């Protein structure tokens, strides 16, 4: 049985959604954040990277959303929700699988710069971050105007990874998408999915830990 170690209001909601889409059984173990919003010590001890999400599968302990998604889909679901190298949309799948980390890196840089960095280098970096973020999200919206999902006509792990950036991550300063009509429509399509609704009910930003 897969155990999902779920840190409240975190990227681990993705793995719950993935498991619901795949129809696979799992145990969900909740961890509440500290008053300062950081992860508790028992969660940090799960994996050397001390990041959510984390899963356990027997003796295997895995972190990193993309790694977990590929592992689960190939090991337990026959490759469902992934795209094979011989398929024509494989390159799109790869790109959007990595989009989240690129966007997250820009957000962290923007946050660091806004915290008080100044001078010519900081000014240049601020402009680079602003330009790249605008380009990333413009491309995202364009893509979603051409296809219902990021890798093409069907939901894949790429969507599982990116949707968090357009929804829950807004609580942590991610770029809003109000000016991106195709992205807004995409999120509404995702929110209508039964598996997504169930996952958010038990592990989304407004979910509460089950009573013991």
């Amino acid at each position: 049985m897969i155990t999902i170690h779920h840190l409240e209001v975190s990227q681990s909601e993705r793995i719950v959604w993935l498991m619901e889409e795949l129809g696979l059984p799992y145990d969900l173990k909740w961890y509440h954040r500290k008053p300062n919003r950081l992860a508790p010590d028992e969660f940090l001890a799960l994996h050397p990277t001390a990041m959510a999400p984390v899963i356990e599968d027997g003796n295997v302990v895995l972190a990193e959303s993309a790694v977990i998604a590929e592992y689960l889909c190939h090991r337990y679901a026959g490759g469902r929700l992934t795209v094979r190298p011989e398929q024509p949309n494989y390159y799109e799948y790869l790109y959007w699988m990595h989009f989240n980390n690129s966007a997250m890196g820009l957000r962290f840089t923007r946050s660091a710069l806004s915290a008080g960095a100044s001078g010519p280098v900081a000014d240049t970096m601020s402009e680079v971050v602003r330009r790249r973020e605008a380009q990333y999200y413009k491309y995202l919206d364009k893509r979603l105007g051409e296809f219902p999902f990021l890798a093409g006509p069907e939901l894949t792990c790429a969507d599982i990874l990116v949707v968090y950036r357009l929804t829950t991550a807004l609580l942590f300063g991610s770029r809003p998408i109000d000016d991106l009509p195709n992205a807004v429509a995409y999120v509404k399509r995702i929110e209508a999915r039964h598996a997504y609704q169930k996952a958010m009910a038990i592990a989304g930003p407004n979910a509460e830990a089950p009573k013991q």
Side-chain angles (χ1 to χ4, degrees), residues 48-189:
T49 61
M51 293 288 288
V54 174
I55 68 162
E56 275 188 276
D57 179 19
N59 295 325
V60 175
V61 179
L62 276 182
E64 290 293 337
S65 297
V67 174
I68 293 170
E70 290 275 355
Y71 173 84
L72 293 173
C73 289
H74 287 292
R75 188 169 181 84
Y76 293 106
R80 283 180 55 208
L81 301 186
T82 67
V83 178
R84 298 185 305 277
E86 64 270 21
Q87 291 179 266
N89 59 330
Y90 178 63
Y91 73 101
E92 294 285 5
Y93 175 74
L94 283 181
Y95 178 84
W96 294 109
M97 284 289 286
H98 292 275
F99 173 85
N100 176 72
N101 284 342
S102 298
M104 184 165 62
L106 289 177
R107 182 181 71 79
F108 283 148
T109 303
R110 175 161 46 81
S111 297
L113 290 169
S114 64
S118 61
V121 174
D123 291 344
T124 298
M125 286 304 301
S126 293
E127 175 57 24
V128 169
V129 169
R130 184 202 65 76
R131 177 173 53 80
R132 287 191 178 179
E133 189 172 64
Q135 290 172 324
Y136 280 177
Y137 280 82
K138 182 179 179 180
Y139 182 44
L140 172 81
D141 198 57
K142 178 178 181 295
R143 177 67 178 172
L144 291 171
E146 298 168 343
F147 294 93
F149 299 104
L150 291 169
E154 298 179 350
L155 182 90
T156 68
C157 287
D159 302 289
I160 301 287
L161 296 186
V162 172
V163 166
Y164 172 86
R165 183 66 34 208
L166 310 180
T167 54
T168 304
L170 297 174
L171 300 173
F172 299 100
S174 185
R175 183 200 186 281
I177 61 170
D178 308 70
D179 60 329
L180 305 174
N182 296 323
V184 169
Y186 167 69
V187 169
K188 289 181 178 178
R189 289 197 300 275

Side-chain angles (χ1 to χ4, degrees), residues 1-6 16 19 24-29 56:
M1 177 75 75
I2 304 296
T3 297
I4 302 174
H5 294 278
H6 173 58
V16 179
M19 294 296 275
L24 296 175
Y26 61 93
D27 287 328
L28 186 66
K29 185 172 181 181
E56 275 188 276

